Each structure stands twice: as C-alpha cells, then as structure tokens.
Amino acid sequence: MKKVSLSIAAVAVAMGLGSASAADLGKVYTKAPAPVVVSPWDVAFGASIMSNYVFRGITQSNKNGSVAAYFEPRYNINPNLQLYAGVAGESISFTNRAAAEIDVYAGIRPTFGAFAFDFGVWGYLYPGGQCTDGQLGGGLVCPVGANAVLPSLNALKGNLDFYEVYGKVNYTFNDYFAVGSNVYYTPSFLNSGAEGTYASITAKLTAPGTLFGTSGIGAYLSGEFGRQWLGTTDSFYSLAIALGPNGINYADYNTWNVGVGFTYKVFTLDLRYSGTDLSKANCNAFTGDFTAQQTGSFSPINPGGFGSKWCGDQFIAKLSADVTLGALK
C-alpha cells in the first residue's frame, strides 16, 4: 500500500511539474505585442467666417464680412520642438481691387517648461491688384490706362506683397492664465517702402471647464495691446499728394483689442472689440481708403482733408472651426 501511495504521489507531482513547465514555456514563447509607432507629423486646418476682418486695428474688408481658411502641416522633432509651414487665405476689400490675401509662412516652435516660443517668417500676397490713383485712366502716379477713379486722390500700388519676420513667446502660469508678447518686422510694409515694426503684449484667462456644467462648452477672456511703428514710403505715395520726392512718413499708432470667446468641440465663437488711436486723417494717408470722404481731417501727411473710418472702433464676431490630426501614418 505504501508503494502504491508513493507511486500515485509521484505521478501527481510529475503531472504538476509538467503543467507548470508548460505554462512557463507558454509565457516564454508568447509573441510580444508590436511597439506603437507614433508619427512625428501633425496637420492643423480650419476655416472661419467673420463680420469684419481687422488686422492690427484696421479693417481689411471695408468693415464687411470676410471668410478665411488655413492648412498647416507640422513636424515634431521631439515633444518640445516643432517645425511648421502653412498657407492661409482671407477675403478682403482693398483700394487696388485685390479681393484676397494669401498668406504663406513657416517657422519653429521650441518649448521650455511653461515658456512656448515661436520664430518664423510670414509672407502676405495680394493677387489681382491694380495700380490706382485719383486720375481717371491713370497718369498721375499710375501708368496711363490704369484703373484709377478715386476723387480723394488716394493712391495704392498694384503690388502690395510683403513679408515679416517674427518672434513670439507665451508663458502659461496654470490651466487658467497665460501671457505673451510678439514682435514683427518688415523692411517694406505693404510694399510701400516704409519699414514696419509691430510689438504687442497679450493675456488670456480661460474659465474652468465646469463653468457650464457638463455641456462641454468652454469660455475665455483675452486681450492685446500693441504698437505699430512705421517709416517713410517711397516716392510713389509722395507724388500722389505732391509732398515731395522723399515719401510720406507714416504716423505710428497704438492698437488694442479685448474679447470673450466660447468653445465647443472644434468650434469657437469669438466676440471682440478693436480700436486704434490713429486719426481719420492719418488713417486715410496710411490705408488709401477708397471710401474716404471730405471731412476736414487734415494732418501733415494728409493735406487734402479726406478722412477714413477704417481705423476707428470696431466690433468683430468670428465663428471658426479648427482641427488638428496627429499620429498620421
């Protein structure tokens, strides 16, 4: 009986060891899951419709509605360094009859902790422009035969293309508050021959995600204060108003905006007030506004008395949709 018991026990132990070995062998030879490969490429794109396209305090759409869209591929070298390039477009209403602004840009975005930087170059293209002055049929400053019908004697080149280099920094204190600053420089603003430097400070306050309960709606309050410094134009503009061969010394000005926004999924509704301290006279000299009226608005660079409303206080309502696709393969 003892021999039988021992035999049974030995068999049981042997079977147990065999099962354990089989399990171990199964673990050893099970194929490991394939590593997840994340592409360094992202792409962002979006579109918007706005009641007024305002650029640095000045309407670009004659205070009318405008549509815009953009497409921006991005390459993430690492989590803290991104390269990007893009193209964007907005509908406009300019004195030279250009109806669209096409933007091409590229840059690099390094991040160091709470600091996010952005350095790049931005090109502004205005296809379809025609040389315009106050002489019917041209010949004042535009070539004879040009489309020129402005009683204000305002003039604008057919080609307004120019570029800016820029640097930006944003500091995020927490999930709710961030501040930033921006600097842009161009050797010839709107191809006028006048240098331009724009600097601004920004702030954004984001509301807690629970502000509207579980609706998924977010909100923010943001603002900007900036100053645009401008130099002296080439002779095209000085001849237009007979101020001599050295061009117009455009007036520097301050601009500001403040607004509130609401977000839901990919959508943003932004309601914003914008203003500048440019007088109607200096605004007219700077923009060449085709809607300028005789208002007795005189200044050293605007002796004709025509004034522009393109630089006054303005309200902008903008609805946009923005999508970022990551991990493209």
Side-chain angles (χ1 to χ4, degrees), residues 9-74:
V11 170
V13 170
M15 291 178 65
L17 289 174
S19 299
S21 298
D24 290 342
L25 288 173
K27 291 179 181 178
V28 170
Y29 290 104
T30 297
K31 186 177 180 181
V36 177
V37 178
V38 178
S39 171
W41 288 98
D42 291 337
V43 60
F45 58 92
S48 61
I49 182 170
M50 62 200 99
S51 62
N52 185 8
Y53 173 30
V54 176
F55 180 72
R56 297 177 190 169
I58 300 174
T59 181
Q60 308 286 281
S61 58
N62 189 27
K63 292 191 172 183
N64 293 318
S66 174
V67 294
Y70 72 94
F71 177 79
E72 182 183 294
R74 303 165 176 173

Side-chain angles (χ1 to χ4, degrees), residues 300-325:
I301 60 172
N302 189 72
F306 287 84
S308 170
K309 296 180 180 179
W310 282 5
C311 307
D313 294 343
Q314 304 179 67
F315 174 76
I316 309 107
K318 180 179 179 180
L319 178 64
S320 58
D322 302 276
V323 178
T324 300
L325 301 178

Side-chain angles (χ1 to χ4, degrees), residues 1-12:
M1 290 296 291
K2 290 182 179 179
K3 290 183 179 180
V4 172
S5 298
L6 290 172
S7 298
I8 294 172
V11 170

